[in-house]
Amino acid sequence: MIVVRTSGYLFDHQIRYPIWEASNRQLSHWLETLNLGGVILLGGSAAELLLKTQQLQKWSKTPLFIAADIEEGVGQRFSGATNFPPPMALGEIAKSDLPLAVKYAYQMGEVTAKEALAMGINWILSPLVDVNNNPDNPVINIRSFGDSPQIVSELGKAFIEGAKNYPTLTTAKHFPGHGDTSSDSHLDLPIINHDNERLEGLELVPFQAAINANVDSVMTAHLLINAWDKKNPATLSKAILTGKLREKLGFNGLIVTDALIMGGVTKFADSEEISVKGVEAGADILLMPDDPEIAISSVYNAVKTGRLTVERIDESLNRIWEAKQTIFNSQNKNISIYQLSQKSDRETVKNILRDSLKTSNNLPLKVTDNTAKRNLIVVDDILNADFLDRQMPAFTIPNLLGYNLQLVDQKTFSNILEEEQETLLQIFIRGNPFRGNSGFNETVKKYYHKLLNKSIVKGLIIYGSPYILDWFTTEINLEIPWVFSYGQMAESQAIACQTLFNLSTAELRKMSKNLGDVFI
């Protein structure tokens, strides 16, 4: 009933988050002595992850769940595999062509499951079916399919159906709905004050659709839902997990908590009480408890004292056993690591990016000759901009056109506002967990006002959040050519830059042989 986190990298010296990620020695000890249910992995390349998952299964006496948060494809977490755009890109397409968006969601689920299985991952912690109807949501944001419960339902269902072509588990999250929050449950406990009618008519709709599509598991949310339980977060609420999810919605699969190291629950109770209350509430899997040995002893002692019954534990064990039968007894296991990131899969990614692209009516941006020009790229945090390197199209394509790179983040942005030269402005910004805000505060908005009022910005590309584009188009009179893309990866950058400058692939190849086909 316990799933712990570790690094996807092979060696201990590569561990990036030692507070949360167990060393190889610690992990092998736990697997050999505690009979853990599984491991959740983050980081590493797709190829080395295959070696890692094989080693984990050898260490364990019981076949393991190997889970990963891969909402945007396996390549989101593990380099070398296919990286899809954020789910909201599909929601954008669905506004004008729902059947096409459903087709893409199905393909996304299918490719994600195929590639996960090739690497030894058997539990996909996706799709996210939160309805993001709060533009200020710092943690869900573009991870959601959108603000329509109907569209989220259809796309979530299609993802699940696509994934079911391979023996992997799918997960609808975060129950009962994290979309209408303005705080991050990684840091605090968000409070939802909607009444029962609103919750059942909006937030629960995509979860019911996912259950009807036979989703294998549901992940809880660390939220306080006052209409249903004024005291306990949803993760620790029997009224919500058993009363609503099991009894009201009729879900019989695995209930897994969101990570139990998150502030949404750690500020509510100590680790011993969190573990016991999670099981009391109806959770089958305790994900990432602070210490698995404490979690196990706490639940064990609760059974000894009569607070929990043996029958309650057996209910979870039976569900876990059935889920593992599904993934370990299948004959469809021989997926080669060389089937990762197939050309057809990459083409699907590009099609989603193209079909979800937003543009102004005054394209293209005309490039002036014999003028000093800069390519000003603004990111949230330079140290955490994994989507950029020296050969990325956001750098290389403007460089071919005479734009000199200037890279800043939100902290250093103010240092360059007085400079005067023709500017292409590229902004990479989206909501991310543990940050506590969407990265677009009032101070940063003033910087953009000042920069754009100088009339030196001649073109704009925004990558990530459409809510940032909404601000630019409503708060600032954007008469300059602009492009918006949901994705931030190389393919997204190439498509956005080509669109802004109206450059064909043939023209790019002629200009430079240093751009690989994957980027253009």
Side-chain angles (χ1 to χ4, degrees):
M1 295 176 66
I2 308 291
V3 171
V4 300
R5 172 168 160 175
T6 192
S7 171
Y9 294 103
L10 283 176
F11 305 109
D12 287 345
H13 69 267
Q14 296 175 289
I15 289 175
R16 296 183 64 189
Y17 304 99
I19 295 176
W20 299 330
E21 297 174 348
S23 66
N24 283 320
R25 173 180 286 186
Q26 180 71 80
L27 191 58
S28 64
H29 171 70
W30 283 345
L31 292 175
E32 290 166 2
T33 61
L34 299 183
N35 196 28
L36 296 180
V39 174
I40 177 172
L41 295 166
L42 177 66
S45 70
E48 69 182 312
L49 201 76
L50 176 60
L51 299 176
K52 181 88 174 193
T53 57
Q54 290 172 341
Q55 180 64 73
L56 293 173
Q57 295 289 10
K58 288 179 182 177
W59 280 338
S60 179
K61 297 177 182 178
T62 304
L64 294 170
F65 289 130
I66 305 288
D69 268 314
I70 39 180
E71 300 162 2
E72 298 168 26
V74 177
Q76 177 192 14
R77 303 295 187 191
F78 309 104
S79 60
T82 303
N83 189 181
F84 283 88
M88 196 172 282
L90 299 180
E92 182 67 34
I93 296 169
K95 293 175 184 177
S96 57
D97 193 339
L98 180 58
L100 179 61
V102 167
K103 172 188 170 185
Y104 285 150
Y106 183 94
Q107 292 173 330
M108 184 176 176
E110 185 174 38
V111 172
T112 300
K114 176 188 70 175
E115 295 192 344
L117 197 63
M119 297 159 48
I121 296 170
N122 52 41
W123 192 357
I124 300 168
L125 300 181
S126 187
L128 188 148
V129 295
D130 301 300
V131 181
N132 195 81
N133 48 20
N134 187 336
D136 294 323
N137 195 318
V139 63
I140 301 302
N141 209 274
I142 59 175
R143 296 166 61 197
S144 165
F145 288 114
D147 59 8
S148 162
Q150 289 72 35
I151 287 178
V152 173
S153 297
E154 290 298 319
L155 299 183
K157 182 174 70 172
F159 182 98
I160 293 164
E161 291 171 348
K164 284 190 175 296
N165 288 305
Y166 296 92
T168 55
L169 303 182
T170 52
T171 309
K173 61 186 189 183
H174 305 84
F175 186 83
H178 206 318
D180 196 5
T181 62
S182 55
S183 58
D184 182 356
S185 57
H186 292 81
L187 304 172
D188 293 296
L189 179 62
I191 299 174
I192 304 291
N193 287 315
H194 299 307
D195 60 24
N196 183 68
E197 183 179 2
R198 150 62 194 260
L199 292 166
E200 292 191 352
L202 197 151
E203 272 78 10
L204 294 191
V205 172
F207 287 97
Q208 186 67 76
I211 291 168
N212 294 344
N214 297 315
V215 72
D216 301 289
S217 62
V218 171
M219 178 180 286
T220 70
H222 304 326
L223 306 171
L224 191 66
I225 315 290
N226 276 324
W228 293 341
D229 190 333
K230 296 182 184 297
K231 181 180 178 182
N232 301 295
T235 294
L236 310 180
S237 170
K238 187 172 183 178
I240 295 176
L241 299 193
T242 299
K244 292 295 181 181
L245 182 53
R246 290 276 187 228
E247 297 171 3
K248 177 77 174 179
L249 301 188
F251 179 62
N252 296 314
L254 287 174
I255 296 178
V256 55
T257 70
D258 205 345
L260 295 181
I261 48 84
M262 291 166 57
V265 287
T266 59
K267 292 182 179 180
F268 177 83
D270 60 31
S271 56
E272 291 92 335
E273 183 68 5
I274 288 170
S275 297
V276 175
K277 284 186 73 69
V279 177
E280 273 186 325
D284 302 302
I285 298 286
L286 303 177
L287 178 65
M288 289 176 61
D290 185 52
D291 185 320
E293 295 188 64
I294 291 176
I296 291 169
S297 64
S298 300
V299 174
Y300 177 74
N301 290 332
V303 174
K304 285 180 65 178
T305 61
R307 182 175 174 182
L308 292 170
T309 65
V310 172
E311 289 76 20
R312 169 66 195 87
I313 304 301
D314 285 343
E315 288 175 10
S316 290
L317 294 183
N318 288 335
R319 292 189 192 100
I320 291 166
W321 179 247
E322 288 178 10
K324 289 190 174 182
Q325 292 286 94
T326 299
I327 54 182
F328 289 108
N329 285 349
S330 173
Q331 299 303 309
N332 186 15
K333 290 184 177 181
N334 298 318
I335 309 298
S336 169
I337 194 74
Y338 295 104
Q339 289 182 253
L340 296 180
S341 202
Q342 300 264 303
K343 184 177 181 180
S344 59
D345 301 334
R346 298 197 304 274
E347 197 58 41
T348 297
V349 169
K350 292 178 182 179
N351 288 337
I352 295 171
L353 288 166
R354 292 188 188 102
D355 291 341
S356 62
L357 201 72
K358 296 183 179 184
T359 64
S360 64
N361 294 322
N362 55 349
L363 292 177
L365 170 59
K366 294 182 174 63
V367 181
T368 57
D369 295 325
N370 303 318
T371 304
K373 301 184 290 291
R374 73 172 166 177
N375 173 23
L376 177 59
I377 294 182
V378 185
V379 300
D380 285 333
D381 180 357
I382 289 177
L383 295 178
N384 288 297
D386 296 338
F387 45 83
L388 295 177
D389 66 36
R390 294 177 64 182
Q391 297 304 315
M392 284 298 190
F395 295 169
T396 54
I397 293 177
N399 181 254
L400 293 172
L401 300 171
Y403 288 86
N404 297 312
L405 174 65
Q406 189 166 32
L407 178 61
V408 298
D409 60 17
Q410 308 282 24
K411 297 176 182 177
T412 58
F413 192 10
S414 61
N415 298 337
I416 53 86
L417 292 176
E418 302 305 321
E419 297 184 24
E420 299 280 347
Q421 59 178 310
E422 186 175 318
T423 298
L424 163 64
L425 176 61
Q426 298 192 72
I427 303 170
F428 291 79
I429 187 167
R430 58 172 289 179
N432 282 304
F434 285 105
R435 192 169 60 193
N437 59 64
S438 61
F440 201 60
N441 57 42
E442 293 304 316
T443 300
V444 171
K445 291 176 183 178
K446 291 178 182 177
Y447 293 158
Y448 285 117
H449 267 297
K450 184 174 182 179
L451 181 65
L452 287 156
N453 285 340
K454 294 162 70 73
S455 299
I456 60 173
V457 177
K458 304 301 181 181
L460 170 68
I461 304 178
I462 298 174
Y463 304 90
S465 172
Y467 305 118
I468 308 303
L469 173 65
D470 290 344
W471 181 85
F472 272 93
T473 54
T474 56
E475 295 293 323
I476 295 177
N477 185 21
L478 277 184
E479 297 180 349
I480 59 175
W482 59 261
V483 173
F484 168 78
S485 177
Y486 282 92
Q488 295 185 330
M489 64 284 228
E491 294 88 347
S492 176
Q493 297 170 31
I495 290 169
C497 288
Q498 284 182 259
T499 301
L500 183 69
F501 293 110
N502 191 28
L503 287 170
S504 68
T505 299
E507 288 173 308
L508 275 180
R509 287 201 180 100
K510 187 176 181 180
M511 292 168 69
S512 175
K513 296 181 180 180
N514 295 325
L515 291 172
D517 283 351
V518 68
F519 294 160
I520 57 176

